[in-house]
Amino acid sequence: MHKYELMFIVRPDVDEETLKATREKVQSIIAENGGEVTNVDDMGKRRFAYLIDKYREGFYTVVNFQGKAEVVSELDHVLNISDYVIRHMTINMDEK
């Protein structure tokens, strides 16, 4: 099991329920694939340094978790096809 940090940005025009559902979906994917969420940090709405997909700001969330590489692959797949997630990045904290 490796330690990972996932950061994702949700579009600023979504309602609170959609934002909460997106965060819960990420946590459920981690749990369903044998991972364990250790920390979730809601960083709120932040302004971007430049336009991303015609947006100037977005809701940032950082999730720390432990799991296997399959968890990261599944998260990457789901977040890539999500209509609400603008950007995401997963970092292997063991390799720092």
Side-chain angles (χ1 to χ4, degrees):
M1 298 261 283
H2 297 284
K3 294 181 182 178
Y4 295 98
E5 179 176 278
L6 166 68
M7 188 277 304
F8 62 96
I9 306 170
V10 177
R11 292 184 352 212
D13 57 352
V14 300
D15 58 10
E16 190 66 34
E17 283 185 29
T18 306
L19 179 61
K20 185 177 178 184
T22 303
R23 289 176 177 152
E24 288 174 356
K25 181 164 182 78
V26 167
Q27 293 180 40
S28 69
I29 290 169
I30 293 169
E32 288 170 4
N33 288 286
E36 177 187 347
V37 175
T38 57
N39 186 34
V40 177
D41 187 14
D42 170 17
M43 298 178 67
K45 190 185 279 189
R46 299 216 172 175
R47 188 168 172 82
F48 302 146
Y50 53 89
L51 282 176
I52 301 176
D53 294 339
K54 300 182 183 177
Y55 294 107
R56 282 254 175 235
E57 57 189 11
F59 292 103
Y60 281 69
T61 305
V62 177
V63 179
N64 294 67
F65 66 95
Q66 294 181 348
K68 297 180 181 175
E70 294 82 23
V71 178
V72 177
S73 298
E74 184 64 23
L75 279 171
D76 192 42
H77 172 72
V78 171
L79 293 175
N80 275 332
I81 62 173
S82 172
D83 292 334
Y84 305 115
V85 176
I86 299 173
R87 287 277 186 344
H88 71 280
M89 180 180 1
T90 306
I91 300 171
N92 186 339
M93 300 303 283
D94 293 336
E95 294 177 0
K96 277 182 101 175

